[in-house]
Amino acid sequence: MMGSARHQCANDNGKRGRADQVDDPDYILPNDEDGHGYNSESDDSFEQEDIEIRPSDLPAQSHTDPQCGATLISERVTRSTPHPSMESQASLPPIAQPQNEVLPENNGEINRPTRGPTRGIQAQGLIDKQGKLPVPIPQLFRAPVGKHAAQLASRIGVEVRTHVIDVGVPRWKAIDESVKAPILQRIMDKFDLQGDPIDVEKAVATQCGQRLSNHNFVLHKKYKKLKETRGEEYARNNPPAGVNPEQWTSLVTKKWTVPKWLERSGKNTSNRSWSKTKHRCGSKSLPVRVAAAMHDNGGVVPAVTEMYKDTHFNKDTQKWISSESEVLYDKMVRIEIEHNEQEGAIPITQEELSVKGLKAKSGYVKGLGIRHSSSIRTVNREYVTHLEGKVQEQAEKIQEQAKGIEAANYKIEEQGKTLASVMAFLKQQGFTG
């Protein structure tokens, strides 16, 4: 009876929310439209983790069971945290072990429970059932696409968080090969990565770098929270629950307390504050979306305006996610209409429309997630047919002109013969001139 009552109370009050999606000060944006990758332009998925909740964070209890929430929280604290006396707690020195604690409110804001990092359970279940999961990495995108691309990103995230200890390195390339090689092998054992070996290697390395950066960003948020509430010394020496102490120490000593890193981090944050457009790709990255649209459309690359609206317009609320996104969309639509209204104009390519509407980005076609070296494939079949028609039309005109020239030459030749005949006759008659 008591157990069922506690379970019901937990269901009523133990609601969890998603972690806030915030830019990473040390994140090197991937080469796509809005920095998703990619994306994702996709970021690692998250699952829930148990986080203790103070009674003050819970909604008001009914009069029928006023002690339900307090009883549940009390038991959670009893199971997970020590209870030193007030005297000993005041003089408790920092310890280099994870502490499962509840931080006080900051400026009136409630510390809401958030979802923890994924453990790859869903992906592993599919692998156990189906074997290796196929993940194409086309040269057109040089990024994972297909229905299992999200599972690949999730698995890579688990591998990086679990097996990379020295996370304070500047970038993924700096990770020792003795660490990277086993990670890559475990990924290859679970996924059938289809594509050019060089493209596959680069795509996996990019994904690993993004997952590492995301992991570091999450830890940095925890560090800043601890620093604000408990002080820098405590934050340096007390990693939160579930955080590898060696990873924590690596980040503290190699990044978070290094003046050069802090300066660069501040500049990066300031630069990103100018970006007004966001996207709503979620776990389905832009290359995945474009590849799926191409598959449904016979291999034709979709219109950049169509994909932009798909990733920046909420169909449920019928609203743009930002006014800037709507302005950019209208700008691209206007550019395309004005270009095609010109007499004899060749239809604008999607790459050209992306450059004019979203600005150029080296090596990348914004809004489509396509690599520049292969962007020639962005020209759709209608455009190719149009060009072929133009070439055929010019060829016919040239052929007609050639026939006209030939006829004119024949006429001139006949006239010359006639003139020569007349001159010969006149000479026979004694005329000279």
Side-chain angles (χ1 to χ4, degrees), residues 167-183:
V167 292
V169 295
R171 56 186 60 83
W172 177 254
K173 289 182 179 180
I175 299 292
D176 192 89
E177 285 297 329
S178 62
V179 177
K180 291 194 291 187
I183 291 177

Side-chain angles (χ1 to χ4, degrees), residues 52 73-83 98-102:
E52 298 174 28
I73 298 303
S74 176
E75 291 191 3
R76 285 186 180 176
V77 173
T78 301
R79 289 194 301 268
S80 60
T81 59
H83 292 271
Q99 297 296 307
N100 195 5
E101 59 181 325
V102 178

Side-chain angles (χ1 to χ4, degrees), residues 201-374:
E201 182 180 355
K202 289 182 178 180
V204 172
T206 299
Q207 289 275 322
C208 288
Q210 292 173 359
R211 301 287 79 78
L212 176 62
S213 183
N214 293 343
H215 178 52
N216 290 355
F217 169 63
V218 171
L219 295 184
H220 191 219
K221 284 182 63 179
K222 295 178 181 289
Y223 173 80
K224 289 191 293 184
K225 190 69 174 179
L226 279 174
K227 183 178 177 181
E228 291 172 1
T229 56
R230 302 297 295 271
E232 182 175 0
E233 186 65 24
Y234 185 91
R236 288 170 61 105
N237 295 282
N238 292 271
V243 176
N244 187 315
E246 294 181 72
Q247 291 182 338
W248 187 262
T249 301
S250 175
L251 288 169
V252 167
T253 57
K254 295 184 178 181
K255 287 191 174 183
W256 300 339
T257 58
V258 178
K260 185 176 180 180
W261 183 89
L262 292 172
E263 179 183 1
R264 181 166 57 89
S265 175
K267 290 181 179 179
N268 291 341
T269 302
S270 176
N271 291 338
R272 280 193 300 276
S273 67
W274 292 95
S275 177
K276 303 299 182 181
T277 59
K278 303 295 181 182
H279 62 83
R280 54 191 310 272
C281 284
S283 62
K284 193 175 182 182
S285 68
L286 184 60
V288 171
R289 292 170 180 265
V290 175
M294 291 177 62
H295 179 270
D296 296 338
N297 199 25
V300 178
V301 173
V304 64
T305 50
E306 174 187 336
M307 297 309 305
Y308 190 84
K309 187 172 184 179
D310 181 52
T311 54
H312 294 79
F313 182 79
N314 191 323
K315 295 180 181 179
D316 296 331
T317 62
Q318 291 296 301
K319 292 181 179 179
W320 292 89
I321 59 176
S322 69
S323 58
E324 290 80 8
S325 298
E326 184 176 11
V327 169
L328 287 175
Y329 174 80
D330 292 341
K331 178 182 177 182
M332 286 190 290
V333 171
R334 185 176 64 256
I335 289 174
E336 187 170 25
I337 292 175
E338 292 177 353
H339 177 89
N340 293 336
E341 283 180 346
Q342 299 176 14
E343 184 178 355
I346 298 176
I348 190 171
T349 67
Q350 297 307 304
E351 179 180 353
E352 185 179 0
L353 182 58
S354 170
V355 170
K356 290 184 176 181
L358 301 175
K359 295 184 180 180
K361 184 172 184 179
S362 178
Y364 188 78
V365 181
K366 287 186 177 181
L368 292 173
I370 294 174
R371 296 297 170 186
H372 187 73
S373 61
S374 54

Side-chain angles (χ1 to χ4, degrees), residues 111-155:
N111 295 315
R112 301 184 184 278
T114 59
R115 302 174 70 184
T118 179
R119 293 173 290 169
I121 296 176
Q122 181 182 13
Q124 187 59 49
L126 288 174
I127 294 170
D128 293 339
K129 184 178 180 180
Q130 303 178 19
K132 280 188 175 184
L133 301 181
V135 180
I137 301 179
Q139 188 179 23
L140 186 63
F141 302 101
R142 295 204 188 106
V145 300
K147 63 180 181 179
H148 297 307
Q151 282 80 25
L152 173 63
S154 175
R155 184 67 244 175

